Amino acid sequence: MFTRSDDEKSKPVLFYLNGRQVQGQESDTIASALLLNGIATNRKSVLANQPRGPACLMGVCYECLVTINGKHNQQACQHLIEEGMRVETSTEAGSYDQS
Amino acid sequence: MKFDVIIIGAGLMGFSSALQLSLRGQSCLVLDKDAAGRHASGVNAGGLRRLNRHPAEIPLSVAAAQRWQNISDLVGSDCDARFPGQVRIAENDEDMEKLCARANLVSGLGYNHEQIIDATALYRMVPELKQGCVGALYCEGDGYARPYHALTAFRTSACQLGTEYRPASRVLGALFGNGLWTVTTEKGSFSARVLLNCAGAWANEFAKLFGEAVPMEARAPMMMVTERLPYFLEPVIGAASRKLSFKQMQNGTLLIGGAHLATLDFEKEQTQLDWRKLAVSARTVLTLFPQLKDVRIVRAWAGIEGFTTDGLPVISPSSTSENLFHCFGFSAHGFQLSPIVGEVMADLVIKGDSELPISPFSIDRFSPNQQT
Amino acid sequence: MKRAPKQAVMTKAEQYDTVIIGAGPAGMSAAITCSEYGAKTLVLDEQMSPGGQIYRGISHQQAQHKALLGPDYLKGEQLVNAFIHSSAQYQPSTRVWHLDDDRHAHFSVDGGAGIVKAKSLIISSGAMERPLPFKGWTLPGVMYAGAAQILFKSHRLVPSENTIVAGSGPLLYLLVWQYLQAGRKIKAVVDFASFNNKVSSLKYLPKALLAYPYLLKGMKYQREIKKAGIPIFTGAKRLTAIANKQNNLEVNCLDKITFEDNSGIHSLQCEHLLTHFGIIPRIQFTQLLGCEHDWDERQLCWKPNVSRWGETSKAGIYVAGDGASITGAVTAELSGKLAALHSLKEQGHIEIAERESLAMPCFKAREQDAYIRPFLEAYFKPPQEMLSHPDPETILCRCEDVTAQDLANAIDAGHENINEIKFFTRCGMGPCQGRQCGQSVAHFVANTRNEPVSAVGSYRARPPVSNLSLGELATLYPEEKE
């Protein structure tokens, strides 16, 4: 589990993760917010159906794919969280990218 | 080294021919300047389509469709073939008129694989289609397969029957003498009784060598493929008045074609994608399926293919040389025909004739002032 | 610094003197120099704010946090400030997905797409972690050490104490040291730098001693880590990551790792495994353009073939920074400036004499900065065996779930070159477009077929080389009819 290294007060942002309201900070990406909220797995692999989580955090691995406000297959590490945003991981919503 | 048949071109036509010839006891050598399926055969849209063929091709296409239904019996692999049908959509009454005329033409020729369907039937088949379409021309049992897998299956089964395959062996010349073809390549010479020219976009160079060049041009049609999506589209999609061929593959990716052309440097075998046309292609897809706007394009490419002026292939004995046969110029719609074309070529070689009507594909059909 | 004007609808390409891709040290440095001497300059950046990977977060973090990251990080602040205050236009959150010989850059941003044309194109898209597959590396809980560092730099996140850092490279020790500064003591370091590597690096040590600050820094990090009581396993081999066996999805992630060293096989339980086996240049742009590349046997990666100014084999197209060769942030800054100077002279903004006088100190400084490299490369050379002999069950293509065994089967079935293997197995055809598998697949094929990696080559590059949706593409050339 990842935790904040200090208690610096940054503007909180409330958003929805698989229907549940969770909190992050203004500069969090969806990926960092997921990890902060103890979610290590955001999807299942396309053929072997194995759990996957963020690996590179810089946009080159395409493992951190989530659904953002209904848009599928978005890289969680490339999007900042926004107030009221609806994020879904495919382990909850059903295996999205199964062939 | 001596064979019964030498085949120039390790694409689908080459290996389909090799397979059929091997089944009939002929020893074959398949030569290619690159590797098997490097060009059109490996990178095409994989369409198994009878719908909207030129009338001359219909008999071959219908026979080929039967072969695809049981392709595993022939090549030991199902090539991941699927047969969800194909529709050619009429967005308005004008489109519908065109399609009805086509349907009449085809039934007039004695074939019933193309049927007009109304809006209700269309939306039952393609519920995700934009509203307002009036119907379609439908071919049940059309579908798609995976081209490189199909090629691999044809290659493997031909080679299991004794066909020898030599990649990276560009053919430099071929001479006929004393009843034998001697073929010189960059990796040595080979001889055979019979020579087949299945060299795709390069076949005309060979045809020229034998004094029978045809009016054909190498072009590079473009394709795009998207990320995997949940399965939502069954039939293959075309539209009566748009350049579009669009399907969702077995693995959930969308394959978008439409015969828009890239810029081609044929000498260097390099293609430059035309993004203007790809933008048009994207707009076409989104006009019919607006909900796809956020779908990501993972790859775009262009394959090198030979296009004849009349859009029909050359499938015929040579008009100038003995024991030489041509099989090329499929103008971006050869994939589906490949199993049957192999049989035709084997018939031509062994019996001198084919039961299927192939005279429209004769190499000498081009009028003298068309020949280059 | 101006934000680039928002292009609503793309009808024709906006012209620039210089377009720079990437806003790390090389890109920022190039932009500062170009704009200083009057070139109309645009920087297209994939990230949301300048700094690249190494100076991530530097423009929006508090001083207290930045201090935890060490003095090298803080050096970036000056550079970022100079960039922000330059007259170069900056466009963040922009994915460049196509480049051509005429130096058009096609990109997507804000739900649309655009095209710019440049007289000079400087590619400074940097490097990424070397994907080095091992059994279990795709498990949730396993991530790159660089990824963990991003979480720390940009988001002030640290992993639990139940974390192991494994691999080979200076970043391992830097990261563990940074965590210590933040009060987090992790469980263990597992170092894969082999004894043989250490021996073969000795011949480069004399020259490396000239760059003693680097060496002293490395030694300081190691010393403080040992002092904190964190065990360091050295000479490690054969890493595997093992999952929790339960069926519950949230629990089916990393549970423990195994590795071998001289004393035998170790099994360590952990929640997080942070791996690092060096970094490699990101070459999707230069491959797409068809630039010449060389295989670097020491760095074990492809590099675009560039002149000392950074010119590629394509006219007017440069590469600067780690995207040309792994040489670090200081050299990146110098190379960015050199590429800029060369382009400025080509564009007629400066004369050759001025170019030479401005460049000379950069060449000299760069030469000195390079003293440490041969030593580091030899010492931290990735474990070759892991690259060439992965466990058959190891997933080599993460996107498409293609294992080493699948690749071996494809090769057995007669698919001889890397592109045929790609067609047959779909490795390299997923969303990452071969970024994570291209090189490890090449290593595997090379080893299986007994060929050098340089002969095996790479996947044929196909655009778009970054995110482009149908909707974004549809905004281009709206006047073009079917």
Side-chain angles (χ1 to χ4, degrees):
Chain A
M1 176 104 172
F2 280 84
T3 49
R4 218 62 92 170
S5 61
D6 56 41
D7 345 295
E8 183 206 306
K9 296 282 175 267
S10 187
K11 181 164 179 268
V13 174
L14 294 170
F15 67 103
Y16 295 94
L17 189 49
N18 298 323
R20 182 168 62 95
Q21 194 175 57
V22 296
Q23 183 172 305
Q25 285 180 2
E26 201 176 24
S27 56
D28 272 323
T29 58
I30 296 173
S32 65
L34 281 174
L35 292 166
L36 184 63
N37 280 278
I39 298 179
T41 302
N42 56 271
R43 72 180 188 99
K44 289 164 82 184
S45 68
V46 296
L47 289 180
N49 213 27
Q50 294 303 302
R52 297 290 177 90
C56 79
L57 272 287
M58 62 177 272
V60 297
C61 77
Y62 293 82
E63 293 280 14
C64 65
L65 304 178
V66 293
T67 302
I68 304 175
N69 294 338
K71 256 202 218 184
H72 296 301
N73 287 341
Q74 302 298 299
Q75 291 168 288
C77 70
Q78 299 294 296
H79 291 89
L80 293 172
I81 55 173
E82 283 168 23
E83 197 71 33
M85 186 182 247
R86 293 181 339 266
V87 176
E88 287 156 86
T89 63
S90 65
T91 55
E92 294 274 0
S95 295
Y96 173 74
D97 46 359
Q98 293 301 303
S99 56
Chain B
M1 288 196 62
K2 191 158 162 291
F3 296 84
D4 290 324
V5 185
I6 289 177
I7 298 170
I8 309 174
L12 264 170
M13 298 308 169
F15 277 116
S16 180
S17 306
L19 173 61
Q20 293 299 334
L21 287 161
S22 304
L23 283 168
R24 303 180 209 194
Q26 303 286 301
S27 65
C28 299
L29 168 68
V30 173
L31 298 166
D32 200 290
K33 63 178 174 56
D34 290 306
R38 167 68 183 86
H39 295 285
S41 291
V43 300
N44 64 68
L48 298 180
R49 175 179 65 82
R50 283 166 294 162
L51 182 63
N52 211 41
R53 291 251 174 199
H54 188 292
E57 285 184 1
I58 292 179
L60 263 69
S61 185
V62 165
Q66 286 165 355
R67 303 298 183 273
W68 280 106
Q69 288 288 336
N70 303 301
I71 198 71
S72 198
D73 295 342
L74 181 63
V75 294
S77 154
D78 69 0
C79 306
D80 233 345
R82 302 271 194 280
F83 307 99
Q86 173 145 356
V87 292
R88 196 166 165 77
I89 294 169
E91 294 173 71
N92 49 51
D93 293 332
E94 201 185 312
D95 282 352
M96 199 60 169
E97 263 181 57
K98 273 195 255 173
L99 295 176
C100 287
R102 164 76 192 183
N104 290 334
L105 171 76
V106 173
S107 58
L109 292 169
Y111 295 96
N112 59 5
H113 57 273
E114 298 187 18
Q115 296 290 323
I116 291 288
I117 58 173
D118 63 14
T120 311
L122 174 61
Y123 282 101
R124 202 168 38 235
M125 254 183 243
V126 195
E128 301 292 331
L129 180 63
K130 69 154 184 186
Q131 291 304 306
C133 296
V134 305
L137 188 61
Y138 167 60
C139 182
E140 191 180 349
D142 272 3
Y144 47 86
R146 286 168 79 182
Y148 186 72
H149 289 69
L151 170 73
T152 298
F154 273 87
R155 167 173 69 79
T156 311
S157 29
C159 292
Q160 269 165 10
L161 290 170
T163 294
E164 203 171 306
Y165 156 55
R166 299 213 178 195
S169 304
R170 180 187 293 269
V171 171
L172 304 169
L175 277 176
F176 189 71
N178 292 332
L180 266 189
W181 280 99
T182 305
V183 178
T184 347
T185 77
E186 54 189 4
K187 299 268 171 73
S189 291
F190 308 90
S191 53
R193 283 187 307 104
V194 171
L195 182 61
L196 257 56
N197 175 16
C198 301
W202 294 266
N204 212 19
E205 326 265 281
F206 293 108
K208 206 189 310 196
L209 213 73
F210 308 122
E212 47 188 347
V214 306
M216 182 175 106
E217 200 178 73
R219 293 187 201 147
M222 302 188 291
M223 310 256 359
M224 293 190 281
V225 69
T226 70
E227 57 187 344
R228 291 173 183 250
L229 298 170
Y231 206 58
F232 74 95
L233 184 64
E234 274 219 24
V236 178
I237 304 290
S241 50
R242 295 184 192 272
K243 285 172 88 154
L244 180 71
S245 172
F246 173 59
K247 59 173 87 64
Q248 184 167 29
M249 301 295 280
Q250 308 84 333
N251 54 33
T253 61
L254 298 178
L255 199 57
I256 303 166
H260 291 290
L261 298 178
T263 317
L264 171 63
D265 183 333
F266 189 51
E267 279 306 306
K268 294 199 188 126
E269 292 183 17
Q270 277 171 12
T271 58
Q272 273 279 7
L273 295 176
D274 182 343
W275 291 98
R276 272 180 195 276
K277 293 286 187 276
L278 288 175
V280 168
S281 206
R283 285 200 283 277
T284 305
V285 171
L286 294 179
T287 303
L288 296 175
F289 297 90
Q291 70 275 42
L292 299 179
K293 76 169 176 40
D294 294 322
V295 170
R296 189 180 157 213
I297 301 161
V298 174
R299 202 163 47 255
W301 68 93
I304 303 178
E305 168 70 309
F307 287 78
T308 56
T309 46
D310 59 6
L312 293 176
V314 172
I315 306 172
S316 93
S318 161
S319 61
T320 61
S321 318
E322 267 183 83
N323 290 8
L324 171 66
F325 301 86
H326 294 288
C327 173
F328 63 87
F330 288 85
S331 308
H333 45 78
F335 180 71
Q336 192 258 358
L337 302 175
S338 53
I340 205 70
V341 168
E343 289 181 32
V344 169
M345 298 313 291
D347 283 341
L348 286 177
V349 168
I350 293 170
K351 297 193 306 195
D353 202 358
S354 169
E355 272 153 25
L356 286 159
I358 59 166
S359 56
F361 314 120
S362 171
I363 196 167
D364 58 17
R365 70 182 184 267
F366 300 100
S367 63
N369 58 13
Q370 263 187 301
Q371 278 169 350
T372 44
Chain C
M1 174 186 74
K2 294 181 276 176
R3 289 270 156 152
K6 194 163 179 172
Q7 290 170 302
V9 159
M10 183 53 234
T11 46
K12 68 172 177 46
E14 173 98 14
Q15 309 268 342
Y16 286 86
D17 286 337
T18 306
V19 168
I20 298 167
I21 303 175
M28 289 191 288
S29 171
I32 290 163
T33 303
C34 284
S35 55
E36 196 182 337
Y37 289 91
K40 181 182 173 196
T41 309
L42 171 68
V43 177
L44 300 173
D45 185 14
E46 194 175 64
Q47 303 303 323
M48 299 182 233
S49 56
Q53 301 310 323
I54 187 138
Y55 302 131
R56 233 183 213 267
I58 208 165
S59 47
H60 64 258
Q61 291 295 1
Q62 303 291 346
Q64 191 189 13
H65 178 67
K66 287 195 274 207
L68 300 176
L69 292 160
D72 285 340
Y73 181 76
L74 288 169
K75 274 191 215 142
E77 208 158 12
Q78 227 181 353
L79 183 60
V80 172
N81 284 334
F83 172 64
I84 291 171
H85 290 102
S86 77
S87 60
Q89 288 178 30
Y90 175 62
Q91 189 172 292
S93 301
T94 297
R95 312 295 288 251
V96 174
W97 44 265
H98 184 59
L99 297 171
D100 64 27
D101 286 356
D102 296 322
R103 297 169 304 281
H104 290 97
H106 294 59
F107 56 88
S108 52
V109 64
D110 281 348
I115 307 178
V116 290
K117 182 164 159 54
K119 293 184 188 150
S120 311
L121 181 62
I122 302 178
I123 299 168
S124 46
S125 44
M128 61 177 198
E129 287 266 6
R130 177 195 309 276
L132 202 150
F134 54 89
K135 196 164 160 194
W137 74 309
T138 57
L139 286 170
V142 182
M143 63 173 64
Y144 293 113
Q149 201 179 51
I150 288 170
L151 288 170
F152 188 51
K153 279 179 184 167
S154 294
H155 309 295
R156 305 174 355 264
L157 290 176
V158 292
S160 70
E161 286 186 350
N162 200 2
T163 295
I164 294 176
V165 171
S168 180
L171 177 60
L172 284 181
Y173 293 97
L174 172 62
L175 181 63
V176 177
W177 180 86
Q178 287 172 330
Y179 285 154
L180 279 176
Q181 308 317 298
R184 171 67 77 233
K185 182 179 150 187
I186 60 132
K187 183 168 182 172
V189 176
V190 182
D191 194 329
F192 282 70
S194 69
F195 179 72
N196 285 344
N197 280 2
K198 292 178 188 178
V199 166
S200 57
S201 72
L202 284 175
K203 59 179 172 283
Y204 303 112
L205 189 53
K207 195 154 198 194
L209 288 171
L210 294 171
Y212 64 85
Y214 273 118
L215 292 173
L216 287 178
K217 215 172 32 180
M219 284 162 59
K220 168 184 150 151
Y221 297 150
Q222 281 208 21
R223 197 176 55 238
E224 294 189 15
I225 288 165
K226 282 189 187 140
K227 195 161 132 200
I230 296 175
I232 301 178
F233 296 86
T234 54
K237 286 196 278 237
R238 297 158 84 92
L239 179 64
T240 71
I242 297 169
N244 205 305
K245 285 289 183 217
Q246 299 184 28
N247 279 329
N248 179 330
L249 211 58
E250 274 308 315
V251 185
N252 192 3
C253 23
L254 176 66
D255 182 48
K256 60 179 188 267
I257 67 163
T258 69
F259 62 93
E260 284 171 33
D261 67 10
N262 282 340
S263 61
I265 300 179
H266 299 266
S267 174
L268 293 179
Q269 197 269 333
C270 61
E271 190 194 350
H272 298 287
L273 173 64
L274 311 176
T275 65
H276 176 75
F277 291 97
I279 57 176
I280 56 176
R282 293 176 66 180
I283 51 172
Q284 74 266 23
F285 293 125
T286 45
Q287 283 198 315
L288 178 66
L289 286 162
C291 298
E292 282 166 27
H293 290 78
D294 298 318
W295 176 257
D296 187 320
E297 193 50 46
R298 282 210 310 232
Q299 291 185 10
L300 289 184
C301 62
W302 287 102
K303 294 166 15 178
N305 192 344
V306 295
S307 72
R308 65 195 186 120
W309 297 99
E311 302 159 278
T312 65
S313 51
K314 298 275 171 165
I317 300 179
Y318 305 78
V319 182
D322 275 359
S325 179
I326 304 305
T327 40
V330 170
T331 289
E333 206 177 315
L334 296 164
S335 298
K337 183 163 179 178
L338 288 166
L341 289 172
H342 192 276
S343 69
L344 286 165
K345 191 270 172 198
E346 295 305 298
Q347 292 168 19
H349 292 288
I350 59 176
E351 296 296 326
I352 197 161
E354 190 174 12
R355 183 190 80 181
E356 293 306 300
S357 79
L358 290 167
M360 217 181 43
C362 296
F363 283 124
K364 201 161 175 353
R366 195 168 70 174
E367 204 182 299
Q368 288 177 339
D369 195 50
Y371 291 157
I372 190 79
R373 287 288 141 195
F375 172 75
L376 291 179
E377 285 167 17
Y379 194 97
F380 294 118
K381 192 167 182 179
Q384 197 104 16
E385 215 213 36
M386 279 177 75
L387 274 171
S388 52
H389 288 86
D391 184 294
E393 279 172 53
T394 306
I395 291 174
L396 293 195
C397 169
R398 298 175 68 122
C399 291
E400 295 285 319
D401 271 328
V402 182
T403 64
Q405 186 61 57
D406 293 332
L407 294 180
N409 295 344
I411 295 169
D412 266 343
H415 303 281
E416 299 193 327
N417 76 49
I418 196 169
N419 286 289
E420 289 172 25
I421 293 165
K422 174 183 173 184
F423 277 18
F424 193 67
T425 62
R426 278 190 64 84
C427 68
M429 285 187 162
C432 94
Q433 298 171 318
R435 286 167 171 80
Q436 294 294 301
C437 67
Q439 294 209 127
S440 46
V441 168
H443 273 286
F444 182 79
V445 172
N447 184 68
T448 307
R449 289 180 49 80
N450 212 8
E451 283 173 14
V453 181
S454 50
V456 169
S458 315
Y459 301 137
R460 216 166 283 125
R462 298 276 183 228
V465 295
S466 189
N467 302 7
L468 173 67
S469 67
L470 285 169
E472 286 161 349
L473 177 57
T475 66
L476 284 183
Y477 304 110
E479 74 285 1
E480 187 81 10
K481 300 293 169 223
E482 222 175 280

